[in-house]
Amino acid sequence: MKPLIVVAIFMILSLSSIEAKVYGRCEFARELANLGVPRHQIPTWTCIAQRESNYDTAARNWGSGDHGILQISQLFWCNVDGGPGKGCNAQCSQFRNNNIVDDVRCAQKIFDEHTRISGDGFNAWTTYRFCRGDNNRYVAGCF
């Protein structure tokens, strides 16, 4: 019986890693551009992704309840209890797979909401304090 449990756990972990992806810096920046993110924002988003998750789509912060490459908060933006919900009408697990389209769309929604509230949408991410100013080094040689 124990070998079956070990095999089952291994298969679950293998499937999880197949669904996740660690982006390269330029690969992430180019994907943002392909998704229509304004070009002037891409360096800052790339900095935030590096600082939040090291470009890992499977990243999860158990302490804060943040999920995915851009660390979307389960407090306000996604639901961990099964169904879609909260601000981005999504399950948090959706932000931990290799498809970052929903992550980027939710991040843009968060950005817009925080722009309305504070004047700077990037303030929603605590790592933004490290990403203020010129972030062009994060996209150097990418385009």
Side-chain angles (χ1 to χ4, degrees), residues 104-130:
V104 172
R105 298 296 175 245
C106 182
Q108 289 175 318
K109 187 172 192 170
I110 295 166
F111 178 87
D112 291 345
E113 180 67 16
H114 279 264
T115 297
R116 189 182 63 74
I117 293 168
S118 73
D120 188 343
F122 291 119
N123 284 325
W125 284 267
T126 58
T127 57
Y128 179 48
R129 70 181 181 265
F130 303 108

Side-chain angles (χ1 to χ4, degrees), residues 57 59-60 65-68 72-75 77-86 89-97 102-103:
T57 65
R60 183 170 186 178
D66 294 342
H67 301 263
I72 307 296
S73 173
Q74 71 188 35
L75 295 176
W77 300 103
C78 63
N79 191 346
V80 292
D81 297 328
K86 300 193 181 172
N89 195 33
Q91 293 181 33
C92 297
S93 60
Q94 291 173 235
F95 300 130
R96 296 191 315 271
N97 62 23
D102 50 0
D103 305 56

Side-chain angles (χ1 to χ4, degrees), residues 35-52:
L35 292 173
V37 173
R39 190 69 170 255
H40 69 277
Q41 291 181 359
I42 292 174
T44 302
W45 283 119
T46 305
C47 175
I48 287 171
Q50 190 276 322
R51 296 235 171 220
E52 290 283 0

Side-chain angles (χ1 to χ4, degrees), residues 23-35:
Y23 277 80
R25 174 181 61 86
C26 286
E27 181 184 20
F28 180 72
R30 286 189 296 269
E31 186 65 21
L32 292 177
N34 291 339
L35 292 173

